[in-house]
Amino acid sequence: MITFGMVGVLKGIADRGETPGGGGPAKDNAAKDNREPHRALKSAYREGKVTKEHFTNFKTKKTPEESDSGTAAKLFDMGFPKRDIAKIVESGSNFADHKFTVGEKLYKFTGNGYVPNPNNAYFLDKKGLEDTMGKFGKSDGTWDNWGVKNHLALPCSNLANSIAEYPVKSESTGLSSSINPATENYFVDGADGTLGLPGGGTQLTPGLGTVGNGTPYTP
């Protein structure tokens, strides 16, 4: 038997578009709404409609390692200033020595043809580039820049729609590391939230002054 009180409860459930037990359209719509902000960001990013003003508070997520102090000392010996060393250590895990040879080519995903300064801590070698293109490249020679951004945990408004190539100009022993996950806040087209970047790619860090100026590169 349904009492007057139960009728009121059932009417309230019906007004919300739910079914008894918690399922129904209202729950589905809420889940859909939670996906919309990332969808708006992804669309704007792929269309090149974002700038650094759309992002704030980029943070890497690192589990401290016993080797971190040794990595920091190595980076100092490689010429990096103290203000940058902590960021580099935070950006990666499982740091290991990596030899760079004269004439070797290094690569960076960039935005709209921009070629960053070669005195930089984050590069891919040919193998890393081919691995990334193997995951996100398309048959027409372009690539999914959103996938690249997530795989390399690229910060802020790096659109990852172009590539720069750099020559190694002096032999050195630098570092390789696995790229750590990161998060950043965004506000795009009226949608805001926190984006998680899984990372997982491999980055290379040559010594300062060992890499020549870059040029635009087409794979």
Side-chain angles (χ1 to χ4, degrees):
M1 180 177 68
I2 298 178
T3 66
F4 179 79
M6 292 175 66
V7 170
V9 171
L10 291 173
K11 182 178 185 302
I13 291 173
D15 289 344
R16 294 194 301 270
E18 300 174 2
T19 58
K27 184 176 181 180
D28 292 342
N29 287 338
K32 181 179 179 182
D33 290 343
N34 287 336
R35 293 194 301 267
E36 288 300 333
H38 281 13
R39 187 174 297 165
L41 172 63
K42 185 187 296 186
S43 176
Y45 182 85
R46 282 178 165 156
E47 294 173 10
K49 295 180 179 179
V50 297
T51 66
K52 63 181 180 180
E53 283 74 24
H54 291 103
F55 298 91
T56 61
N57 204 29
F58 179 88
K59 291 182 179 179
T60 51
K61 300 168 65 177
K62 178 183 174 75
T63 300
E65 300 175 298
E66 290 185 8
S67 59
D68 284 350
S69 59
T71 298
K74 173 71 174 177
L75 289 165
F76 184 77
D77 291 342
M78 290 164 58
F80 287 95
K82 291 181 178 180
R83 67 177 181 274
D84 293 338
I85 288 174
K87 294 179 182 178
I88 300 169
V89 173
E90 286 287 320
S91 73
S93 298
N94 303 314
F95 283 87
D97 286 348
H98 182 91
K99 289 189 175 182
F100 296 89
T101 58
V102 176
E104 177 184 359
K105 298 296 192 293
L106 302 178
Y107 303 89
K108 292 181 70 68
F109 280 89
T110 68
N112 296 331
Y114 174 63
V115 179
N117 189 296
N119 290 324
N120 196 286
Y122 314 103
F123 290 91
L124 302 174
D125 61 5
K126 189 69 172 179
K127 182 178 182 298
L129 177 64
E130 290 175 348
D131 175 69
T132 303
M133 291 298 290
K135 287 180 170 66
F136 306 106
K138 301 178 182 179
S139 59
D140 63 358
T142 62
W143 54 90
D144 175 17
N145 63 332
W146 178 259
V148 171
K149 174 180 172 64
N150 279 267
H151 181 60
L152 302 180
L154 298 176
C156 303
S157 59
N158 184 339
L159 293 174
N161 59 9
S162 58
I163 301 172
E165 180 184 68
Y166 298 79
V168 174
K169 64 181 185 179
S170 59
E171 187 171 314
S172 69
T173 299
L175 294 168
S176 67
S177 60
S178 299
I179 299 172
N180 282 334
T183 60
E184 60 185 343
N185 299 333
Y186 65 87
F187 182 85
V188 176
D189 292 340
D192 65 283
T194 299
L195 176 68
L197 303 167
T202 298
Q203 63 188 7
L204 300 180
T205 304
L208 283 186
T210 65
V211 178
N213 291 329
T215 55
Y217 174 78
T218 301

